[in-house]
Amino acid sequence: MCINEQHTLSASVRELHHNRGDLIHTGGDCMGLILVTSGQLRAYTVSEDGREITLYRLFERDICLFSASCMMNSIQFDIALCAEKDTDAVIIPSDIYRSIMEKSAPLANYTNEVMASRSLKITHEEIGNHLGNPREVVTRMLKYFVGEGAVKLSRGTVEIINEDILAKIAGR
């Protein structure tokens, strides 16, 4: 990243503080890329029946690209973010991040790596707890997804290997 891009980025960043329990983002809008400097955030979606489904957690130095999904072509995510601990973060406006990413191959590569690294390091029981289902149901569904070629399982990890298949199963 060149000096001009660094200056643009530094000038546009907003610092935020959120107390434990604060709702930070409710989905639908494009607030910008969030970088957690301290604390912990939970990213979740709300099911059709109103249940919260935890997608992942953000810790110190984690970034949430999904809060800025509008900067990515044909990708829209309605996720909510809440502070699970008192949290300090910075927000980079989506348009600024996108304009720098378009000029900087290292930043574009980093962004792609972050998107690809969202495999889940979680047990079947933990998934069940988040979804309100027994571990056995989760295990059965994950085996189905493996059989369909959508995910790959290893100890404590669920890796999405074909998002198109998952979308087809979900009826999208």
Side-chain angles (χ1 to χ4, degrees):
M1 197 174 347
C2 72
I3 299 294
N4 288 342
E5 292 166 341
Q6 289 176 353
H7 177 67
T8 299
L9 189 60
S10 296
S12 65
V13 169
R14 284 189 346 227
E15 294 183 17
L16 301 172
H17 174 80
H18 293 283
N19 296 317
R20 181 179 183 213
D22 285 355
L23 184 60
I24 298 165
H25 179 65
T26 57
D29 61 337
C30 192
M31 70 181 298
L33 183 129
I34 296 175
L35 167 66
V36 176
T37 54
S38 68
Q40 180 177 320
L41 301 178
R42 178 174 70 101
Y44 65 93
T45 189
V46 179
S47 69
E48 289 181 10
D49 62 356
R51 291 187 304 169
E52 292 181 359
I53 301 170
T54 300
L55 301 171
Y56 55 88
R57 286 182 168 76
L58 298 163
F59 303 97
E60 186 175 332
R61 296 189 199 150
D62 280 342
I63 63 171
C64 182
L65 288 173
F66 297 132
S67 60
S69 65
C70 63
M71 71 179 186
M72 296 173 263
N73 294 335
S74 352
I75 299 177
Q76 291 295 317
F77 295 97
D78 284 333
I79 64 162
L81 293 172
C82 69
E84 289 193 313
K85 296 180 178 179
D86 289 352
T87 301
D88 292 311
V90 295
I91 294 184
I92 303 169
S94 301
D95 57 336
I96 300 295
Y97 191 85
R98 183 191 316 196
S99 70
I100 294 172
M101 187 174 68
E102 288 171 353
K103 298 173 194 167
S104 170
L107 183 60
N109 289 339
Y110 174 73
T111 303
N112 290 333
E113 286 175 20
V114 169
M115 292 295 288
S117 71
R118 284 291 175 205
S119 59
L120 305 174
K121 295 190 181 339
I122 192 168
T123 66
H124 296 190
E125 185 170 352
E126 290 171 317
I127 294 171
N129 290 340
H130 289 305
L131 298 175
N133 286 311
R135 179 192 57 77
E136 295 80 12
V137 172
V138 172
T139 299
R140 189 172 33 241
M141 288 307 301
L142 287 173
K143 284 181 181 177
Y144 171 75
F145 294 152
V146 167
E148 294 294 314
V151 300
K152 177 181 165 188
L153 301 178
S154 56
R155 187 164 180 84
T157 303
V158 177
E159 181 182 352
I160 298 171
I161 58 174
N162 192 322
E163 291 181 43
D164 293 335
I165 292 172
L166 286 176
K168 193 174 186 179
I169 292 169
R172 294 183 190 177

